[in-house]
Amino acid sequence: MEPNWALARKRPALEKRARILQGIRAFFVAREFLEVETPQRIPANAPEFHIDAVGSEGWFLHTSPELCMKRLLAAGYPRLFQLCRCWRQGERGSRHLPEFTMLEWYRAEADYRALMDDCEALLQALLPQGRLTWQGQAIDLAPPWERLSVREAFARYASIGLDEALGGGRFDEIIALEVEPHLGLQTPTFLIDYPVQLAALARAKPADPRVAERFELYIAGLELANAFSELTDPVEQRQRFARDEAERRAAGKPPYPSPEKFLDELAAMPPAAGIALGVDRLVQLLCDAATIDQVVAFTPEEL
Amino acid sequence: MYSCADLKKGLKLMIDGEPHVIVQFDFTKPGKGQALYKCKLRNMITGSLFDRTYRSGESFEPASLEEREMQYLYQDETGYVFMDNRNFEQVTMSADTLGDDKYFLVDNMEVKILLFNGQGIGITLPNFVNLRVTQADPWVKGDTAAGNNKPATVETGYSLQVPSFVEQDTLIQIDTRTGEYVTRVKE
């Protein structure tokens, strides 16, 4: 039989992917982050309204390694990173795979601003030439990158204001269709300070409790990472989980158990900041690939 | 009824009493936000294209179309002619209606013809067709890498990328759903 030509054609992308993964490891190891592996099959994820987990014999495949990594933070590990597979039900598109690779890293005694610095340094380490072109769009990676508040982004790019979008339940739609395409086009953009109701595990900003210390990183309109200063108050966290779980049930979604061990140990967690970065999309960007399919060896449809 | 989870390229929906087909589809979702289903729809009667975005929770009426097995006969000045082998009824469809599907028609091929009020509005091809390469650059000696590609044209006028070892007059298999090369066909 003839070799699978479509698979053979992916070779340059897969070789670049391997170098990027090695570059990410080298970056964090040099900064004295401990690489960890946490279980991918767990009894409970953080219950989030819009994220559906894949079940596995009564437990779940993790939607992110977040909870286990925070338990390590709470046990006194100050700097952690992990490269792992995550699963999310029903997510399949030109930028989405139901099984994908996530990079998460956490810093104790830091807030989300330290993670912005990390992002700038990581991309510089991966791309020493300081620029990239994705689908015809040239992007200058020289720091500091743009920091744009969610409120300002709505004022600048959206057809309706932030409060109207939140009140009408149209926030996600406006962000995805009207705002995202403008973000990170000349230089990467940190979209910062999300309305506090949109911050499941993030801490409210001390100077302005209406917003949470959360940011998303955009490059060339691609959403690459979600980060926040962690909420370390177990009482508040329990309330937010209960609210999200109630919303899930009201919408007819299957119930999720509460991650009790995480909630118990959260009280011991120091102030910290954490970030999740989609590695497949990062590779997509660095390979100038139009779709996420081009940078993974196999898509679900090819199995 | 279909739900958002059923939406995909090629799905046929009834919108405002007329059949529509999804010609482009993408799923998108802000990290912690609501899923959005971006569709480019073609009205299967008028051919007009438009974009629409749906949100999870919406539902859709399947297009009520008649589908009949027919055989492709030939092309003439009126268009592409198909025949139902049981009652010898013929249906003619224009190149515009067929779109890229016209490149994958082989004489006497069995296809499914979609009919709306007796009018042919679309076809469903077999997933794979065999077509002969009529033009391709010569094989560069020493190029053995399986992933290398070059442009080629097949007998119906369709152009695509093929591996470098595919030469003129080779019979190749094409996936009609993606329009891409699959493999050489042994003769």
Side-chain angles (χ1 to χ4, degrees):
Chain A
M1 184 175 172
E2 204 174 281
N4 180 332
W5 180 63
L7 190 53
R9 268 184 91 186
K10 284 183 176 171
R11 188 167 178 156
L14 296 185
E15 287 176 351
K16 191 154 188 179
R17 182 185 177 101
R19 287 197 297 275
I20 292 165
L21 290 173
Q22 288 152 10
I24 290 170
R25 284 211 160 83
F27 175 86
F28 285 104
V29 170
R31 281 160 183 76
E32 296 180 333
F33 278 73
L34 179 67
E35 178 169 9
V36 295
E37 294 176 286
T38 60
Q40 302 192 347
R41 186 174 161 269
I42 56 175
N45 282 291
E48 293 199 48
F49 184 60
H50 291 299
I51 298 177
D52 294 322
V54 177
S56 171
E57 296 186 327
W59 283 20
F60 299 91
L61 299 179
H62 69 178
T63 55
S64 138
E66 183 167 12
L67 300 186
C68 285
M69 290 186 79
K70 287 185 187 171
R71 290 180 62 188
L72 284 162
L73 272 178
Y77 295 81
R79 283 184 299 280
L80 298 166
F81 82 100
Q82 178 161 197
L83 274 162
C84 63
R85 291 291 197 163
C86 295
W87 287 265
R88 293 183 183 183
Q89 216 183 96
E91 301 199 4
R92 182 72 180 103
S94 59
R95 300 170 177 192
H96 291 268
L97 288 163
E99 176 183 346
F100 59 98
T101 301
M102 191 89 105
L103 163 67
E104 291 211 5
W105 74 94
Y106 290 83
R107 280 181 174 274
E109 308 300 340
D111 68 15
Y112 71 154
R113 287 170 301 185
L115 300 175
M116 296 184 213
D117 298 341
D118 284 342
C119 289
E120 290 172 346
L122 174 64
L123 263 288
Q124 271 188 299
L126 296 175
L127 280 171
Q129 67 271 35
R131 61 186 177 280
L132 69 90
T133 299
W134 188 70
Q135 304 297 294
Q137 185 71 43
I139 295 127
D140 181 359
L141 298 174
W145 298 345
E146 180 186 28
R147 274 110 170 123
L148 178 68
S149 75
V150 170
R151 185 166 292 279
E152 174 62 21
F154 267 76
R156 210 182 279 182
Y157 303 120
S159 58
I160 60 174
L162 174 59
D163 297 318
E164 191 185 344
L166 284 169
R170 295 181 64 201
F171 180 85
D172 296 323
E173 178 192 333
I174 303 287
I175 278 276
L177 303 178
E178 298 184 12
V179 179
E180 273 188 4
H182 298 284
L183 300 179
L185 298 188
Q186 269 83 45
T187 173
T189 297
F190 294 111
L191 188 63
I192 65 169
D193 295 352
Y194 277 65
V196 74
Q197 58 268 45
L198 298 173
L201 295 95
R203 178 180 84 185
K205 196 169 181 163
D208 182 0
R210 291 169 303 170
V211 298
E213 290 190 352
R214 170 184 167 198
F215 74 79
E216 299 225 7
L217 168 61
Y218 287 89
I219 303 182
L222 267 176
E223 178 200 335
L224 274 189
N226 177 54
F228 34 80
S229 306
E230 303 293 347
L231 177 67
T232 51
D233 176 350
V235 177
E236 161 100 37
Q237 186 67 76
R238 192 178 286 275
Q239 285 167 354
R240 289 198 201 169
F241 280 175
R243 194 188 60 205
D244 266 4
E245 184 56 19
E247 279 181 18
R248 286 187 59 85
R249 289 182 196 216
K253 293 186 172 220
Y256 284 154
S258 170
E260 286 301 319
K261 285 203 172 72
F262 162 76
L263 286 167
D264 286 347
E265 294 172 23
L266 186 59
M269 197 166 102
I275 176 166
L277 184 148
V279 172
D280 308 279
R281 287 198 201 156
L282 177 66
V283 178
Q284 191 185 338
L285 195 66
L286 301 193
C287 288
D288 192 13
T291 70
I292 203 165
D293 296 23
Q294 293 165 18
V295 299
V296 292
F298 298 95
T299 60
E301 295 79 13
E302 287 160 344
L303 296 175
Chain B
M1 294 296 271
Y2 294 125
S3 74
C4 278
D6 300 312
L7 297 177
K8 60 176 183 196
K9 190 176 165 185
L11 192 75
K12 296 172 186 76
L13 309 170
M14 199 62 94
I15 299 170
D16 302 329
E18 291 195 336
H20 287 71
V21 61
I22 300 175
V23 290
Q24 266 176 39
F25 172 74
D26 198 14
F27 166 91
T28 188
K29 185 172 181 295
K32 293 189 176 283
Q34 185 178 34
L36 299 166
Y37 303 82
K38 292 160 85 170
C39 298
K40 188 179 280 292
L41 291 150
R42 182 162 56 87
N43 181 314
M44 298 178 77
I45 312 284
T46 65
S48 64
L49 285 167
F50 57 96
D51 294 311
R52 202 166 276 185
T53 299
Y54 298 105
R55 299 188 285 182
S56 41
E58 297 190 62
S59 59
F60 310 90
E61 186 188 345
S64 59
L65 298 165
E66 187 193 352
E67 196 169 54
R68 274 160 69 182
E69 286 276 358
M70 294 185 124
Q71 191 176 37
Y72 171 59
L73 295 183
Y74 55 82
Q75 182 197 359
D76 65 17
E77 64 281 0
T78 63
Y80 294 77
V81 182
F82 302 85
M83 184 174 72
D84 186 328
N85 281 329
R86 285 161 303 174
N87 56 16
F88 309 108
E89 242 177 74
Q90 292 192 357
V91 167
T92 303
M93 290 171 68
S94 70
D96 281 352
T97 308
L98 287 169
D100 277 354
D101 288 346
K102 66 177 176 283
Y103 292 120
F104 305 125
L105 290 171
V106 177
D107 288 353
N108 303 319
M109 174 191 268
E110 294 283 338
V111 296
K112 291 195 180 101
I113 301 285
L114 272 179
L115 297 157
F116 184 71
N117 296 335
Q119 184 191 350
I121 59 169
I123 67 172
T124 307
L125 293 161
N127 290 342
F128 301 100
V129 295
N130 297 337
L131 290 167
R132 197 169 299 281
V133 175
T134 50
Q135 192 279 319
D137 294 338
W139 186 6
V140 180
K141 220 175 169 181
D143 183 1
T144 53
N148 285 358
N149 55 285
K150 64 181 181 186
T153 306
V154 295
E155 56 193 295
T156 55
Y158 180 68
S159 296
L160 75 170
Q161 293 286 316
V162 299
S164 55
F165 54 72
V166 170
E167 298 183 271
Q168 194 168 320
D169 296 326
T170 306
L171 192 62
I172 62 168
Q173 189 178 73
I174 298 173
D175 188 325
T176 61
R177 296 161 295 184
T178 61
E180 286 174 4
Y181 168 89
V182 182
T183 186
R184 284 178 295 193
V185 180
K186 281 210 185 87
E187 295 183 74

